């Protein structure tokens, strides 16, 4: 997909599509639960952050190593979503350093509500939680979601940075390096 990015419109459309997809998850009228087992990075981490609840196994690692790999950026909507979830300082830290948050820390900082030992226990717990939520007042859950979304909504222009990152020499270098399993040679342009 990224190999075919040759115009600013490709970058804008990609991030707009991601924002629409993730926005649909976030706007879902019923509670959403992310079951995280193993690496949850990049787009997967964005999707998990849009879910209402996140439960993980001990093998969970969450983050955005894009400053080390592709050299792209997240949209303003995704930065805002992550900032609301993790705080501005932690978002900068994990993106700048490419550090992945492990399960124990994720539980401590409220990124996940529970950490389980195995994949089987994770799926059992997610099913149990989903059945429990089905017994609760739908309007209470919908109102909570919508009010939080409204409180967090701030229209921030991000197209300039999306275009700059996705059309840069660094992005093409990062993509080539990622696909060829080598370290990128960043130039800052």
């Amino acid at each position: 997909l990224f190999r075919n990015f040759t115009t600013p419109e490709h970058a804008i459309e990609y991030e707009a599509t991601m924002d629409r997809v993730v926005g649909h998850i976030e706007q879902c009228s019923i509670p959403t639960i992310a079951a995280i087992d193993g690496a949850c990075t990049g787009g997967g981490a964005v999707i998990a952050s849009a879910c209402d609840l996140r439960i993980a196994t001990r093998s969970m690692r969450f983050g955005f190593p894009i400053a080390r790999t592709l050299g792209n950026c997240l949209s303003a909507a995704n930065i805002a979503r992550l900032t609301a979830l993790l705080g501005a300082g932690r978002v900068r830290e994990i993106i700048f350093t490419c550090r992945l948050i492990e399960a124990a820390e994720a539980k401590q900082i409220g990124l996940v509500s529970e950490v389980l030992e195995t994949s089987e226990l994770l799926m059992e717990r997610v099913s149990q939680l989903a059945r429990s939520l089905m017994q609760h007042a739908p309007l209470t859950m919908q109102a909570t979601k919508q009010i939080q979304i409204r409180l967090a909504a701030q229209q921030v222009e991000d197209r300039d940075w999306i275009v700059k990152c996705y059309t840069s020499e660094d992005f093409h270098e990062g993509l080539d390096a990622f696909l060829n399993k080598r370290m990128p040679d960043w130039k800052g342009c």
Side-chain angles (χ1 to χ4, degrees), residues 2-186:
F2 291 138
R3 285 184 188 254
N4 298 322
F5 278 29
T6 57
T7 68
E9 290 75 23
H10 289 136
I12 296 298
E13 184 52 37
Y14 172 78
E15 285 297 332
T17 299
M18 287 297 294
D19 282 347
R20 279 192 302 277
V21 169
V22 174
H24 286 304
I25 293 167
E26 188 174 53
Q27 292 280 344
C28 184
S29 63
I30 59 173
T32 55
I33 306 168
I36 307 169
D37 187 16
C40 183
T41 60
V46 167
I47 291 168
S49 71
C51 290
D52 299 307
L53 304 169
R54 285 160 300 285
I55 300 174
T57 61
R58 292 215 180 279
S59 66
M60 172 240 189
R61 292 179 338 276
F62 177 96
F64 303 88
I66 56 178
R68 185 183 65 232
T69 57
L70 297 179
N72 60 330
C73 65
L74 300 178
S75 71
N78 286 320
I79 294 285
R81 187 176 290 112
L82 288 166
T83 298
L85 185 60
L86 301 173
R90 186 169 281 118
V91 170
R92 282 191 300 272
E93 186 259 331
I94 65 171
I95 291 176
F96 292 178
T97 67
C98 302
R99 181 176 73 82
L100 300 181
I101 296 172
E102 298 199 13
E105 180 185 1
K107 173 83 167 71
Q108 181 183 22
I109 64 175
L111 175 59
V112 300
S113 56
E114 299 177 49
V115 176
L116 297 137
E117 292 296 324
T118 66
S119 301
E120 294 76 23
L121 290 173
L122 172 67
M123 295 315 295
E124 184 179 304
R125 176 61 181 132
V126 167
S127 295
Q128 176 188 47
L129 182 57
R131 286 190 301 275
S132 175
L133 293 174
M134 289 171 53
Q135 304 304 310
H136 299 167
L139 291 179
T140 299
M141 292 184 287
Q142 289 172 15
T144 300
K145 285 179 70 155
Q146 289 303 311
I147 291 168
Q148 283 184 322
I149 289 167
R150 289 176 187 174
L151 286 170
Q154 294 181 19
Q155 299 299 324
V156 177
E157 180 55 46
D158 60 0
R159 289 176 171 226
D160 56 338
W161 281 104
I162 290 170
V163 168
K164 186 172 187 158
C165 287
Y166 280 92
T167 61
S168 70
E169 291 177 27
D170 274 359
F171 178 71
H172 293 290
E173 166 64 12
L175 179 60
D176 185 68
F178 180 78
L179 294 173
N180 290 298
K181 299 183 184 330
R182 65 174 176 81
M183 292 299 295
D185 181 21
W186 303 119

